[in-house]
Amino acid sequence: MKGFVFHGAGQSAWEEVPDPGLKDPTDVIVRVDAVTICGTDLHILKGDVPEVPSGTVLGHEAVGEVVETGSDVRTVRPGDRVLVSCITACGRCRFCREGAYGQCQGGGGWILGHLIDGTQAEYVRVPHADLSVHPLPGALESQDAVLFADIFPTAYEVGVINGGVRPGDTVVVVGAGPIGLAAILTARLYSPERIIAVDLADSRLDAARRLGADAVVPVRDEPEQLVADLTDGLGADVVIEAVGVPESFEMCTRMVRPGGRVANVGVHGKPATLHLEELWIKNVTITTGLVHTSSTPTLLRMAASGRVPTAPLVTHTFPLDQMEEAYEVFAHAADTGALKVVLGEQRHDELAVPAA
């Protein structure tokens, strides 16, 4: 088969790789029908995630069809259409028993496209399948469903839930990329008074407004002053960092009110300064985290019922073999306007219609 292979910082290729096979009785093999690219994949290509070995097939999000199952798999069978979660969960260790799948100690956690071959290929082996793939409702299209492998549970769990968004809150989302936009959509479920989006790119701020932000502000226009003006100088109740650079994190800590919450979602490749000399007296809570994906079944049900719209997030689609072009488009989002790119061709079973 072919897959998108990481060969060290700045080096990658769509190339022939060995077909995956079952290694453990809890594995499944999934034929990939739709896959997407994450900002974390860009961090890997930059060398920000040094534990990814050269030769790894990247990707940790996919929708596809189960083609083979191990003898211990109970929740899916060949022919099932499934979502492949970005997090793998053994279901037995202490953290999995607490629902903290991202910290799995039993061979799970974030392993796809990180410690083992991932989803940006024609087929993928998924360990611990009973908790790591999710059967999909027929009403949910593949290019919509794939967004629930990572960005929606990440934005919801690490941003909205960790940030403790409540009715009447002022919520600031710094970074209006896919994760930030998903945070806006899921924060709206809690009826905040206002959501303010901050970004460098006008195109992403336009998308934020379309998806429910009440106010948008480019970084060049002093977002801290706007937040102060809208809150009578108090500051935001919740600030969600969805970029992953020191400047954005430090901006978040300046915009939060006393007693407020800063929820860091972005993947950081460099140290950020924590100004405790200013924050110690403000009773500020700062949270970090890797997504657990324990919310994925709930989010999928809400998507199927239309409560969480996804279509506006997918701006570019490609065949699977145009992976390198898709990476270029996604990596230069400021120029291309890309939010989420989805690769793959929708497969439909042929239906014989009897003659009248």
Side-chain angles (χ1 to χ4, degrees), residues 174-265:
V174 177
I179 290 286
L181 295 174
I184 291 169
L185 284 165
T186 50
R188 284 173 54 84
L189 299 171
Y190 290 82
S191 300
E193 179 182 359
R194 63 173 68 89
I195 299 174
I196 304 166
V198 180
D199 201 277
L200 290 167
D202 291 336
S203 61
R204 292 194 164 189
L205 292 175
D206 290 341
R209 190 182 292 279
R210 291 195 303 272
L211 293 175
D214 301 287
V216 300
V217 55
V219 172
R220 62 181 179 272
D221 287 352
E222 299 183 1
E224 295 168 52
Q225 186 60 54
L226 174 67
V227 172
D229 291 345
L230 291 175
T231 60
D232 296 324
L234 193 63
D237 300 283
V238 181
V239 187
I240 297 173
E241 199 283 345
V243 181
V245 299
E247 295 81 3
S248 62
F249 174 77
E250 292 166 30
M251 179 192 298
C252 290
T253 63
R254 293 192 298 268
M255 290 194 292
V256 68
R257 69 164 172 83
R261 289 89 66 196
V262 175
N264 183 88
V265 186

Side-chain angles (χ1 to χ4, degrees), residues 61-244:
E61 313 160 79
V63 167
E65 180 181 317
V66 175
V67 296
E68 190 175 1
T69 62
S71 59
D72 288 351
V73 176
R74 298 290 180 266
T75 59
V76 294
R77 59 186 179 181
D80 285 351
R81 179 169 166 264
V82 297
L83 174 73
V84 178
S85 175
C86 67
I87 297 296
T88 303
C90 77
R92 296 182 175 89
C93 71
R94 172 178 174 173
F95 290 114
C96 283
R97 288 176 180 272
E98 295 173 352
Y101 304 141
Q103 301 301 326
C104 174
Q105 298 293 297
W110 173 37
I111 58 173
L112 291 171
H114 179 207
L115 305 179
I116 66 172
D117 285 339
T119 58
Q120 290 171 4
E122 294 173 320
Y123 292 86
V124 60
R125 177 180 75 93
V126 184
H128 304 300
D130 280 343
L131 282 174
S132 308
V133 300
H134 302 271
L136 286 171
L140 203 54
E141 294 288 341
S142 293
Q143 76 169 24
D144 297 327
V146 75
L147 304 183
F148 292 88
D150 185 352
I151 67 164
F152 270 98
T154 295
Y156 181 60
E157 295 176 17
V158 187
V160 175
I161 294 179
N162 279 4
V165 175
R166 297 187 290 244
D169 277 353
T170 291
V171 178
V172 178
V173 179
V174 177
I179 290 286
L181 295 174
I184 291 169
L185 284 165
T186 50
R188 284 173 54 84
L189 299 171
Y190 290 82
S191 300
E193 179 182 359
R194 63 173 68 89
I195 299 174
I196 304 166
V198 180
D199 201 277
L200 290 167
D202 291 336
S203 61
R204 292 194 164 189
L205 292 175
D206 290 341
R209 190 182 292 279
R210 291 195 303 272
L211 293 175
D214 301 287
V216 300
V217 55
V219 172
R220 62 181 179 272
D221 287 352
E222 299 183 1
E224 295 168 52
Q225 186 60 54
L226 174 67
V227 172
D229 291 345
L230 291 175
T231 60
D232 296 324
L234 193 63
D237 300 283
V238 181
V239 187
I240 297 173
E241 199 283 345
V243 181

Side-chain angles (χ1 to χ4, degrees), residues 4-6 35-38 40-42 44 52 56-62 84-86 110-121 124-125 149-150 323 327:
F4 189 69
V5 182
F6 172 68
V35 67
T36 186
I37 302 169
C38 179
T40 303
D41 297 322
L42 300 182
I44 293 171
V52 179
T56 300
V57 175
L58 295 186
H60 49 266
E61 313 160 79
V84 178
S85 175
C86 67
W110 173 37
I111 58 173
L112 291 171
H114 179 207
L115 305 179
I116 66 172
D117 285 339
T119 58
Q120 290 171 4
V124 60
R125 177 180 75 93
D150 185 352
M323 187 70 69
Y327 260 89

